[in-house]
Amino acid sequence: GYWLYFILPVNSLPLWGWGIIVLTALIVMRMGSNRLIFWHSSWQASLQDVFLENPEPATLRDTNRKALHLGLESWSLRLEEYYVPDHAAYAGQDLSQLAIPARYGCSVIEIERNGYLITKVTPDLRGYPGDKLLILGKETDLAAVRIFLQGNALTQVGEVEKFGSTILHTEIVPKGEHDGKTLAELQIARQTGARVIGIQREAERILNPDANQAVHAGDNLLIVGTMTEIRAFHHWLHRKAPLGPASI
């Protein structure tokens, strides 16, 4: 628009000429907006990868992945990867619109885009063709997710080592300021970056708890996040606990 202002004879341009310019601009914006958002997301993920995340040694990554698999078995959960296919009807929608946890009881753990790993999976994160989603859930729920996403490429848990940053961790809620508060009140993801994907309360297990779920002392929380986020969660959880924090 800035350059057209100097190129076109704006003083003598008729009304219909302005209409054509505005219509053309709207069409270009509509066609290019998703692509611009995609580029921005890839660029942002690459910056986070360079500046915010410390690369893990291969041995540590392998150790974390083995621990992740063992943790999943005890919770009767699985990890599967799904590619967003070309021309998917939901391409460009954010995760809050897809509502995978609410619809299917599964969690989107990580997204790989153009070789960049996005571990901070927020509700406003958009999905695009070619994205690879790492999803956690029960076997029957994952089958429903696969039908919904209409992905043609699927790998099993044994091939999930491509995702190298996210790990699972469990923490027991101590007596203190967190006891009895809901997840919405605690704002764990905002405080630490980690996410609660499961709560074990005696014999009861609550997978993908909603924001209104209360947390009580003695609950065993299943947490997903990077090593840095897990450490931040541990210190946040125990900052006012009667006993000192245990090392993780």
Side-chain angles (χ1 to χ4, degrees), residues 171-176 179-180 199-202 215-221:
E171 285 273 1
I172 297 178
V173 178
K175 293 181 179 179
D179 186 11
I199 300 175
Q200 182 170 2
R201 183 174 299 147
E202 296 179 351
V215 172
H216 301 285
D219 286 354
N220 194 11
L221 304 183

Side-chain angles (χ1 to χ4, degrees), residues 115-233:
Y116 296 108
L117 194 62
I118 304 173
T119 58
K120 296 185 182 299
V121 182
T122 56
D124 59 349
L125 186 62
R126 296 173 182 261
Y128 296 96
D131 285 356
K132 183 163 55 178
L133 278 60
L134 181 65
I135 298 181
L136 174 70
K138 294 183 177 180
E139 185 172 359
T140 54
D141 298 331
L142 289 171
V145 173
R146 183 182 187 185
I147 295 174
F148 169 69
L149 295 178
Q150 298 178 354
N152 296 322
L154 170 66
T155 58
Q156 300 299 327
V157 176
E159 301 177 44
V160 84
E161 286 79 3
K162 297 176 183 177
F163 288 90
S165 296
T166 298
I167 60 174
L168 286 177
H169 182 70
T170 57
E171 285 273 1
I172 297 178
V173 178
K175 293 181 179 179
E177 61 175 325
H178 310 305
D179 186 11
K181 292 185 177 180
T182 65
L183 294 177
E185 293 172 326
L186 293 175
Q187 294 289 311
I188 294 173
R190 181 176 297 179
Q191 297 278 353
T192 67
R195 289 177 291 154
V196 178
I197 60 173
I199 300 175
Q200 182 170 2
R201 183 174 299 147
E202 296 179 351
E204 180 185 11
R205 282 184 173 177
I206 306 169
L207 297 178
N208 297 300
D210 59 30
N212 296 320
Q213 179 64 52
V215 172
H216 301 285
D219 286 354
N220 194 11
L221 304 183
L222 181 63
I223 308 297
V224 64
T226 64
M227 181 63 74
T228 301
E229 292 167 346
I230 295 297
R231 289 195 186 100
F233 172 81

Side-chain angles (χ1 to χ4, degrees), residues 24-74:
T24 303
L26 291 175
I27 293 174
V28 171
M29 290 173 61
R30 178 66 182 88
M31 294 177 61
S33 61
N34 283 345
R35 177 57 56 181
L36 289 174
I37 295 172
F38 177 84
W39 287 338
H40 174 267
S41 181
S42 298
W43 171 76
Q44 186 180 41
S46 65
L47 286 182
Q48 291 175 349
D49 184 59
V50 172
F51 292 111
L52 300 181
E53 296 290 342
N54 295 321
E56 294 179 336
T59 54
L60 178 59
R61 185 181 301 118
D62 293 341
T63 301
N64 291 339
R65 190 55 59 206
K66 290 178 182 178
L68 174 58
H69 291 164
L70 292 175
L72 291 179
E73 290 177 1
S74 64

